[in-house]
Amino acid sequence: MTRPRHFVLAAGGTGGHMIPAAALAEELIRRGHRVALVSDERGVRFPGLFDGVQTHVLPAGRLSGGPLGWAKAAREMWRGRAMARELYRTFQPAAVIGFGGYPAFPALAAAFADKIPTAIHEQNAVLGRVNRLVARRVDAIATSYADTERLKPAHQMKANCVGNPVRDSVIALRAKPYPLLEEDGIFRVLVTGGSQGASVLSKVVPDGLAMLPVAFRRRLQVTHQARIEDIDAARAKYAELDIAADLATYLPDLPEHLGWAHVVIARAGASTIAELTVAGRPAILVPLPTATDDHQTANAREITRAGGARTIPQSQFTPSELAKQMQKLGLDPEGLENAAARARACGRPDAARDLADLVESLDAPRSALPVGPVIQKEAFA
């Protein structure tokens, strides 16, 4: 039987950081542990994640804005470090796990000061900025890809490829077959730009689908997640083009939509790639060109090389190019099923389990853990 312990997870407030942290939290709680989350204001309010988990907002500046900005960020991080040390005094974590993003830095710095075991998890195929800052000092590095760029050779010995944890509802899709695609049947398309949406998809996808042959276009059933500033224009465009489409700014039931999708048009964020590969769904990927270190292009490389996706650089993502790729996919049901199988072969469905095993192995508890009430949505001011 697993001995109950306390763990602190520290993550930036975007879906790419929060979703794997939440998947690890679920696995640790299943094993009888208690979990606390450290994030920013966005993270602790992320819909559908970390319900019932003790949460804390710590100040964490961003290293931008020149010398004055750096000085301000350093002050904020130092203040966040002090608050994290106070949290650790009462919560007594067995280990602190960082998932990247600036809010993870003060939490990890406090753990270094208190000599608490630490690990970081990198979701992308390029080691992120904060993870690079702390890689030398942490006890373990968990990666999502066997080949992770910007991971120094000196740190390879403590690197473990576990994959990128996804929600249980996505893992459940792995046991289901690719949805039946009949020659004249409904062709379901899921369009998603990740947790923050993507304006380019709202601008290009309706016009691209409109260029398909009429018989194919009439078969389409589109679910499109759009940014709030784009959704009305995109909805009007689909209606003008007589394409059946449901639009929303957020899809809390995204795994359900992913389950019935025949093809996904998406950015190449870490969580998107992890979900596509675990579920086994073919995709057209448009990496965000401004992503730090072009990490979305790196994320898309494995599934694209395996034949589970087609990657189109944003500079080449035009309505005509999308129509060409969609027509190739729609006219080849057998090829689509094959692409789905190739995407599935890249999946790592046991990532949460393997990451939890790694986290538990870090533990060298200093004292018995206190038992107390769970504090909901607490923020240090």
Side-chain angles (χ1 to χ4, degrees):
M1 182 177 177
T2 302
R3 174 173 52 82
R5 281 156 281 177
H6 290 187
F7 294 97
V8 170
L9 311 186
T14 66
H17 300 306
M18 297 298 294
I19 289 173
L24 175 61
E26 289 178 4
E27 178 65 21
L28 291 173
I29 291 168
R30 266 197 296 266
R31 298 183 184 197
H33 304 303
R34 281 187 61 194
V35 173
L37 170 71
V38 168
S39 188
D40 54 22
E41 291 286 357
R42 298 172 304 165
V44 299
R45 292 185 172 87
F46 210 93
L49 301 180
F50 288 98
D51 293 335
V53 170
Q54 180 175 337
T55 62
H56 301 270
V57 174
L58 297 183
R62 295 181 61 87
L63 296 176
S64 59
L68 289 177
W70 301 337
K72 181 180 178 181
R75 286 195 300 271
E76 288 294 286
M77 289 180 180
W78 187 260
R79 191 161 67 95
R81 174 182 176 273
M83 293 178 181
R85 295 189 74 180
E86 179 62 20
L87 167 63
Y88 301 163
R89 186 184 67 79
T90 57
F91 193 70
Q92 294 189 10
V96 177
I97 301 90
F99 284 82
Y102 285 103
F105 185 80
L108 289 165
F112 300 151
D114 288 348
K115 296 182 170 53
I116 299 170
T118 54
I120 53 174
H121 179 269
E122 178 55 60
Q123 301 87 50
N124 294 300
V126 182
L127 201 66
R129 188 174 298 168
V130 169
N131 282 347
R132 293 200 299 269
L133 283 172
V134 300
R136 180 179 63 87
R137 298 196 62 183
V138 297
D139 298 292
I141 300 171
T143 66
S144 300
Y145 296 85
D147 181 18
T148 301
E149 298 175 21
R150 304 203 68 169
L151 177 63
K152 292 182 178 179
H155 304 149
Q156 291 282 358
M157 290 297 292
K158 54 185 175 183
N160 302 264
C161 181
V162 300
N164 193 11
V166 298
R167 293 166 282 189
D168 289 343
S169 52
V170 176
I171 295 173
L173 298 177
R174 198 168 176 85
K176 299 180 180 179
Y178 180 73
L180 180 66
L181 180 59
E182 298 177 349
E183 186 173 339
D184 296 321
I186 293 174
F187 190 99
R188 298 184 180 90
V189 180
L190 173 61
V191 184
T192 174
S195 62
Q196 299 181 70
S199 291
V200 68
L201 300 184
S202 296
K203 293 173 182 175
V204 172
V205 173
D207 286 335
L209 298 183
M211 296 176 71
L212 295 171
V214 174
F216 186 10
R217 191 167 71 239
R218 287 175 177 168
R219 294 169 54 202
L220 295 177
Q221 182 175 319
V222 180
T223 297
H224 188 136
Q225 179 242 335
R227 297 174 68 96
I228 191 167
E229 60 266 33
D230 301 326
I231 192 167
D232 289 340
R235 184 180 284 118
K237 192 69 174 178
Y238 280 119
E240 175 191 332
L241 298 168
D242 198 25
I243 296 173
D246 293 320
L247 289 91
T249 56
Y250 180 69
L251 298 173
D253 53 350
L254 181 64
E256 180 181 343
H257 294 291
L258 184 62
W260 55 243
H262 292 109
V263 69
V264 179
I265 303 172
R267 286 296 196 195
S271 289
T272 296
I273 299 295
E275 291 174 349
L276 288 171
T277 56
V278 168
R281 292 297 180 270
I284 294 173
L285 300 173
V286 186
L288 176 67
T290 56
T292 306
D293 300 316
D294 196 23
H295 66 254
Q296 288 204 3
T297 297
N299 291 347
R301 202 164 289 142
E302 181 181 50
I303 185 175
T304 301
R305 286 175 176 169
R310 299 175 185 214
T311 297
I312 306 174
Q314 184 166 310
S315 60
Q316 300 171 29
F317 185 61
T318 61
S320 59
E321 179 62 24
L322 174 62
K324 181 174 72 175
Q325 296 299 333
M326 283 293 297
Q327 193 162 358
K328 287 179 181 177
L329 293 170
L331 295 175
D332 186 9
E334 185 177 338
L336 262 179
E337 287 194 41
N338 183 50
R342 289 171 179 266
R344 188 179 187 277
C346 296
R348 295 178 173 88
D350 297 325
R353 182 201 68 187
D354 293 344
L355 181 56
D357 288 347
L358 176 65
V359 166
E360 286 184 331
S361 74
L362 297 171
D363 178 32
R366 297 163 294 163
S367 60
L369 296 171
V371 177
V374 172
I375 304 171
Q376 296 289 339
K377 306 298 181 190
E378 177 180 346
F380 290 108

